Amino acid sequence: MARRRAARRERPVVRGVFWRELALVIVCVEALIFILSFDPTVLNVFDLTKASFTHGVAWALLGALIVIALGDGVRIPASPLFVAFFALVATEIVTTITAENQYVALYGEVGRYLGLTTHAVLALIAVAIAVSIDYPRRTSWLAWTIGAGATLAGLYAIQQATGHDPVRWVDLDPRFRPFATFGNPDFYGQFLAVVATACAAVLVFARQRVWVVGIVVLLAVLNVALMLVVQTRGSFLGIAAGALVIAVLWLRRAGLSRRALTRFALASAVAALALVVTLVATPLGGRLLDIGRGIGLRDRVLLYQSAFQMFLDHPFLGVGFENFAVAYPRYQQAEWFAVAGMNTTNTSAHDWILHVAATTGAVGLLANVALLGAFAFHAWRRARDPDAAGVIVALAAVAAFYGSGLVLPGAQSIQWIPWVCVGVALASELRSARVVMAIPPLRLPAILQLLIVIGLASVAFGQVGSLEANRAAKAAEAALGGANSARAVDMARTATTVDPGRAAYWNDLGRALELVPDLSGARAAYRQATTRSPYTPAFWWNLGGVELELAKQNEPGAREAAYEAMRRALAADPQNPDSFDRFAHIQLALADYSGAIESERRAIALFPTVPGYYTFASEAAHQLGDSATAIAFLRQGVAALNSNDLRITLARRLIEANRLPEARQVLSDVLVVEPTNAAALDLQKQIGAQ
């Protein structure tokens, strides 16, 4: 009888351990998904795949945490680290509510998907780690999982670098800068820096068996070698920041004895030698030295200026959580297009400090800095504890992450790293943190606990829809490229039906309907796109274009609607010269020649290196009957670009104006550079060479 009573008393403890271990297993699965998952059959191969699967698995994790909370009771701890963690989550919620575009704040911009839903999953992972690893007992579960994921990703990167990638990538050749399962060499380089730093911290602070030390050394060497091949400059900053944290905490742990300082000096000398070798003898070193020569920096300077101005205009709560892409077009400089290419944009400030400041303001920046400060203070305070290795490794990894993040954007494949590390710190702090509120446990039958987890896990099937819609969007774009209008309409309509919140899907539907042609349907689709993403000028361009076609059919109100669409495009991105150029095309088609001239004049003022702007401005002036202005635009273009194509057009305008001597001189200038230019020779023959 006594034995049966003892067994009954032990069962809740066993079940509690089981659910904690299950929660930690789910966290490990999440980490592997973030690192390894991708799907080449969808349009957004990497980030959406990772987001969809991790969001789905998070429901099962939530179920496990609910069972743990019901079985053990809920305790709300209060310490600087926990308060900072709660404050950060609260700040993200508040700035989602105040965001310019709440849909983007909730779900993230296309290509990133780092909205509040993703951060809720990451916060859930941090909480799960805090309550499940029984610090430091199960910390190694995370270490082995991340190490295994890094190894598999590294093997795939080697496969890419050697030209044996089974996947054919259209827009990037991975042989030169492998990106493994991360989709971008910059993201992969940041991950490599974090793993290499964590390995170094393990070797310095954790006592392990010889065979474990050997594995860690091999993993460190693999990641450092790949980091040099991937050539992500930010990874160097990550290694430097991580090394600084390791050095400071090692001195804290070892003390300032003569022996310790001697060892520290020797390690510093080795690190300095490694730096010199890296700069002199590796491709990464070459890219780092380019910075000193000012190569490849202007785009970052322009981007940082835009982000800082965004913060100055919204200093308290920013433009809204993950709303950088929403506000950026209004702050984009015309020079950006000359440096980075026409109609390019940004979803991140490429600097985590500026990104946080621009999107969540001083409140968000303070919350992030407070959490990092509380983390660092906790690690410093615990550095001399016998079991401090886990939290020190986590802090070193966070330092490497944010060090790299000073010049890199975030992504699904790496944004989980600081949350996992914070979870380890919370687990360490949980043992001694003061509890300010406690809810007593509620004993539930085992079958009910299982049903809670299974019931919530079943919600994961709803996450498949985003992938299905994205797969349909990819098929729609392929059909558009192949001019298969019927299939493009079917696939685009499927995408908008399954996931109606994404503006890009509606834009594709509009493009497909234009091919049918169904101009009214296309207009409705474009209106849906501009409603969801009014900050994207291309969607307004497309709406303006279809309104123009309807105006040509004398549909009432279409002319005014075309003008309004282009005005909205200009308001969304006032420094984009293409918006003025496209407006000019619409104005010319509607016989508004003076308006077309003025629009092209503004396009030229913003971006004077596009020959087409001068040609079209000249055509508008020609249609207006102003030959002097038509010729003046072309002369301006020739002076700015030294273009023979513009000279040929100028010669034609001069001939039309019966200014033959000037035309002969222009043609002579062409033939000096291109003696066999057929157009120049033909015109010269027409007017004579006198």
Side-chain angles (χ1 to χ4, degrees), residues 258-291:
R258 178 178 297 180
R259 182 169 179 265
L261 291 175
T262 301
R263 292 171 63 187
F264 180 77
L266 180 61
S268 300
V270 172
L273 178 61
L275 171 61
V276 172
V277 172
T278 299
L279 292 175
V280 173
T282 69
L284 174 59
R287 297 195 76 212
L288 289 170
L289 292 174
D290 285 345
I291 296 176

Side-chain angles (χ1 to χ4, degrees), residues 135 205 252-253 378-392 428 431-432:
Y135 185 91
F205 295 103
R252 164 73 171 167
R253 193 175 176 93
H378 173 70
W380 174 267
R381 190 162 51 91
R382 294 291 177 87
R384 292 178 177 173
D385 292 352
D387 59 1
V391 74
I392 292 176
S428 172
R431 300 174 300 173
S432 58

Side-chain angles (χ1 to χ4, degrees), residues 280-638:
V280 173
T282 69
L284 174 59
R287 297 195 76 212
L288 289 170
L289 292 174
D290 285 345
I291 296 176
R293 295 190 289 267
I295 299 174
L297 287 182
R298 186 57 185 167
D299 57 340
R300 293 297 172 88
V301 172
L302 293 170
L303 180 56
Y304 294 162
Q305 289 174 347
S306 297
F308 187 64
Q309 188 60 51
M310 203 181 296
F311 166 67
L312 292 179
D313 290 348
H314 305 83
F316 188 57
L317 292 174
V319 296
F321 189 64
E322 269 305 293
N323 267 224
F324 190 87
V326 175
Y328 175 72
R330 302 197 303 270
Y331 295 88
Q332 193 171 32
Q333 309 97 316
E335 186 184 350
W336 169 267
F337 300 115
V339 175
M342 291 299 295
N343 299 320
T344 53
T345 188
N346 281 286
T347 58
S348 166
H350 286 246
D351 175 284
W352 72 268
I353 296 175
L354 285 172
H355 185 83
V356 169
T359 55
T360 61
V363 173
L365 187 59
L366 180 62
N368 278 270
V369 172
L371 180 57
L372 291 177
F375 192 168
F377 178 73
H378 173 70
W380 174 267
R381 190 162 51 91
R382 294 291 177 87
R384 292 178 177 173
D385 292 352
D387 59 1
V391 74
I392 292 176
V393 171
L395 181 62
V398 162
F401 176 86
Y402 284 110
S404 300
L406 290 173
V407 293
L408 296 174
Q412 286 284 328
S413 53
I414 54 174
Q415 208 65 33
W416 57 274
I417 293 171
W419 294 86
V420 167
C421 295
V422 166
V424 173
L426 293 175
S428 172
E429 179 77 344
L430 190 62
R431 300 174 300 173
S432 58
R434 181 170 60 92
V435 176
V436 294
M437 187 176 76
I439 300 175
L442 176 63
R443 299 300 182 186
L444 298 177
I447 185 63
L448 185 55
Q449 295 177 1
L450 187 61
L451 287 175
I452 290 173
V453 175
I454 293 175
L456 285 171
S458 65
V459 181
F461 292 106
Q463 303 297 143
V464 179
S466 58
L467 286 174
E468 181 186 345
N470 203 248
R471 192 173 288 112
K474 182 175 184 177
E477 292 199 359
L480 284 167
N484 186 344
S485 57
R487 177 168 172 77
V489 170
D490 288 342
M491 291 295 98
R493 205 177 292 283
T494 297
T496 57
T497 301
V498 176
D499 188 359
R502 291 296 177 189
Y505 299 166
W506 288 102
N507 185 63
D508 283 346
L509 178 58
R511 293 169 57 205
L513 289 169
E514 277 195 86
L515 291 177
V516 173
D518 178 0
L519 295 182
S520 295
R523 174 169 61 184
Y526 287 140
R527 284 177 176 174
Q528 291 285 349
T530 55
T531 298
R532 287 162 173 76
S533 183
Y535 53 88
T536 304
F539 298 162
W540 292 110
W541 299 343
N542 291 341
L543 178 58
V546 78
E547 294 286 7
L548 169 64
E549 295 304 316
L550 291 168
K552 290 178 180 178
Q553 298 175 11
N554 298 317
E555 179 164 326
R559 178 190 177 99
E560 293 75 15
Y563 272 56
E564 178 60 22
M566 296 312 298
R567 292 190 188 102
R568 293 293 300 273
L570 293 170
D573 193 355
Q575 297 293 307
N576 190 329
D578 254 12
S579 291
F580 289 102
D581 177 57
R582 290 170 185 269
F583 195 9
H585 281 68
I586 289 177
Q587 290 168 313
L588 182 66
L590 295 175
D592 180 4
Y593 305 125
S594 297
I597 291 171
E598 180 57 29
S599 293
E600 286 295 6
R601 198 186 304 277
R602 296 185 68 179
I604 291 168
L606 288 170
F607 203 88
T609 58
V610 178
Y613 295 170
Y614 299 97
T615 302
F616 201 81
S618 176
E619 176 62 24
H622 176 68
Q623 292 293 333
L624 190 63
D626 185 351
S627 63
T629 300
I631 291 170
F633 271 118
L634 292 170
R635 288 196 183 280
Q636 182 184 355
V638 168

Side-chain angles (χ1 to χ4, degrees), residues 34 47-48 50-52 54-55 92 95-96 103-122 187 190 320-324 347-348 355 359-360 401 408-419 502:
F34 278 124
D47 291 82
L48 181 62
K50 297 175 191 295
S52 298
T54 52
H55 288 197
E92 293 181 347
T95 53
T96 296
Y103 184 89
V104 173
L106 277 171
Y107 301 107
E109 186 56 275
V110 172
R112 276 171 62 90
Y113 307 103
L114 287 174
L116 186 64
T117 51
T118 292
H119 277 245
V121 171
L122 297 176
F187 304 153
Q190 187 172 9
F321 189 64
E322 269 305 293
N323 267 224
F324 190 87
T347 58
S348 166
H355 185 83
T359 55
T360 61
F401 176 86
L408 296 174
Q412 286 284 328
S413 53
I414 54 174
Q415 208 65 33
W416 57 274
I417 293 171
W419 294 86
R502 291 296 177 189

